[in-house]
Every structure is written in structure tokens, then in C-alpha cells.
Amino acid sequence: MINAFLVFNGQGQPRLTKFYTQLDTSIQQRLISEIFTLVSNRPPGSCNFLPLPPLLASASSSSPNSPDAPSLVTYRNYATLYFIIISTATESPLALIDLIQVYVEALDRLFENVCELDLIFNFETLHAALGEMVVGGAVIETGMERIVAGVRAQGTVAKRPVNEGKGGGLTGGLGAGLGMGGMVWHGR
């Protein structure tokens, strides 16, 4: 089960926070601040998943609705953004990495070369795309065309992408994008 899906920029500012497990607001805030530090300080070449540290795991398990399985942090870094999933250890970390990849590619198609400004000014689209993929912490869809079509059918995509005509993207000023058209993969 997915407990949370988080997106941070390189400075640790949350761009998306979605919790599927009932947690007190104070615990959510603590997880948000400490998870970014944990992931951003990983050395280059580290694998993209790790156990949730005991201190955070005990905080997240204090919820009456949280599962007893230990928690796992899975993440990918694209350009200036970190995409992070906190899940039970019963979830396949490789499947979660693929889920993040599908999410980024869906955003790239929805925004035509997504950049951080798209995430800031069109947060409804971020939530709609995630809502097409994950419901109640369970993955329900990973088909790119169905996700994009579902979001477009909801009418939550901006009529004109924020980065249109700017060269789009997140590196080198606002250089190359997140998605497949200009994806910058940092092999962590």
C-alpha cells in the first residue's frame, strides 16, 4: 500500500503532498521535512529505495489506520525535482520506481515538456494525474494513454501550458524538461 506520494523541488519546498494513510498533521509535517533531508543527502550512486528511518517509522505507525508492515521510501530525482513514495515494505520498490516514471511521463504529455512552474501554477493537474493512477493508496492505472485521457476528460489541464514558448524544462536556467522529450535522469 502507498502511504504517501511527495514531490519536492531541490530546495526542499513541497510541490505535491498526498497522504493515503491517516496521520496527524504534526506527523505529516515532520515526515515532509525529514523525508526530503533523508533523500536529498543520499550519496550519488545510491539505490533509489531505503527503509523509513525508525524514528519516522514509529511516528507514522502511531496512526490507528496505519498498516503494521514496515515502511519503505522509494524516490527518483529528475532535474530539480524529487518524486518520493512512502509505502509499506510489501510493495515492490522497482514497481514504485516505474510508477514514478509513468507519473512524470504523464505530466510531460499533459504539459508538453513539464517544468516546475507548471507544477506550481497547475497543481490541480498534478493531483488529477495522481488520482487517475492511485486511489486510496492502491495503484489502479499505469497505462499512459488512459491516465492522460482521464485527466483531460476532467478538464483540469491548463488550456495553454505555463512553459509554452519558453524552451521549457528544469535544468540550465529552465533548460531541458522532466519528461521523455528532455528528461534529465540523475542516476540515483
Side-chain angles (χ1 to χ4, degrees):
M1 175 177 174
I2 294 175
N3 296 322
F5 196 107
L6 310 169
V7 178
F8 294 97
N9 71 5
Q11 290 76 42
Q13 298 167 320
R15 296 301 180 214
L16 171 77
T17 58
K18 178 67 177 172
F19 286 88
Y20 297 100
T21 302
Q22 188 73 4
L23 296 173
D24 290 335
T25 304
S26 61
I27 293 172
Q28 286 182 5
Q29 294 301 317
R30 183 173 165 198
L31 280 169
I32 288 169
S33 66
E34 293 185 27
I35 287 294
F36 173 75
T37 302
L38 175 73
V39 169
S40 65
N41 288 331
R42 303 267 297 165
S46 296
C47 69
N48 292 62
F49 41 91
L50 61 150
L52 193 62
L55 185 60
L56 292 178
S58 65
S60 67
S61 67
S62 66
S63 167
N65 297 331
S66 67
D68 293 330
S71 295
L72 180 70
V73 176
T74 305
Y75 70 96
R76 283 184 82 173
N77 175 229
Y78 292 94
T80 62
L81 294 174
Y82 291 89
F83 293 79
I84 302 166
I85 296 174
I86 301 171
S87 68
T88 58
T90 58
E91 291 291 328
S92 165
L94 296 176
L96 295 176
I97 287 174
D98 284 343
L99 184 69
I100 293 170
Q101 176 72 29
V102 169
Y103 184 64
V104 170
E105 287 182 33
L107 293 177
D108 197 51
R109 284 195 191 177
L110 290 164
F111 289 114
E112 300 171 17
N113 202 13
V114 67
C115 72
E116 188 175 353
L117 290 175
D118 291 320
L119 307 186
I120 294 168
F121 293 111
N122 298 292
F123 63 89
E124 303 91 357
T125 304
L126 270 74
H127 284 278
L130 187 58
E132 289 291 320
M133 298 173 68
V134 180
V135 173
V139 177
I140 60 164
E141 183 61 66
T142 59
M144 180 68 59
E145 298 304 322
R146 294 174 93 173
I147 294 165
V148 171
V151 173
R152 287 186 175 144
Q154 293 178 39
T156 55
V157 179
K159 299 290 186 235
R160 184 176 329 138
V162 171
N163 65 358
E164 186 172 83
K166 297 180 191 169
L170 295 174
T171 59
L174 283 176
L178 283 179
M180 296 307 286
M183 186 182 324
V184 178
W185 164 245
H186 298 277
R188 293 205 246 168

